[in-house]
Amino acid sequence: ALPGCSTDGPPDNRDVHGAIRDFFEHQNDRGGVRINLGSAGGLKNIRFEVRLHDVVIHRCTGQDRVYVCDITYRASFPPVKDEPERIRTQATLFDGPGGWRLIE
């Protein structure tokens, strides 16, 4: 299938990687993630960006262009954590006119 075209069936590894990468890039473009590390006496915000390194799909289930996939991805969070961390989670993806997208 051509990029951006709807396909039948679950997303492949490339589709999932692209959807998650786009999601993180959108978050990063909006200023990244901020964590308030303050207590009652003082507040400190730390800003970091998420960098996706790779994605592994364990399985996907769904239909009608919406799939829930069990995945593991590796991401780093500079400047908080430069070494990639392995995270196992579920991702819900939709195959729409612009290609596969992660649904929050």
Side-chain angles (χ1 to χ4, degrees):
L2 297 172
C5 295
S6 184
T7 60
D8 292 330
D12 63 19
N13 199 64
R14 182 175 157 185
D15 297 326
V16 174
H17 187 278
I20 294 172
R21 181 196 64 233
D22 291 348
F23 176 79
F24 286 151
E25 285 178 359
H26 180 70
Q27 280 189 322
N28 291 341
D29 289 345
R30 292 186 347 211
V33 178
R34 295 181 189 273
I35 296 177
N36 185 333
L37 298 176
S39 62
L43 300 176
K44 181 178 182 180
N45 287 319
I46 293 181
R47 179 184 170 272
F48 61 93
E49 294 187 353
V50 180
R51 294 190 183 145
L52 182 65
H53 295 273
D54 59 50
V55 176
V56 174
I57 299 172
H58 302 289
R59 79 178 200 147
C60 289
T61 57
Q63 60 185 4
D64 297 329
R65 301 185 325 189
V66 177
Y67 287 83
V68 176
C69 298
D70 294 322
I71 63 169
T72 300
Y73 68 89
R74 285 186 328 118
S76 56
F77 312 93
V80 175
K81 187 172 184 180
D82 290 323
E83 287 297 316
E85 180 177 333
R86 190 168 304 279
I87 300 163
R88 182 141 186 182
T89 190
Q90 286 188 332
T92 303
L93 294 108
F94 171 70
D95 185 15
W100 288 97
R101 296 286 176 243
L102 186 64
I103 299 172
E104 289 187 68

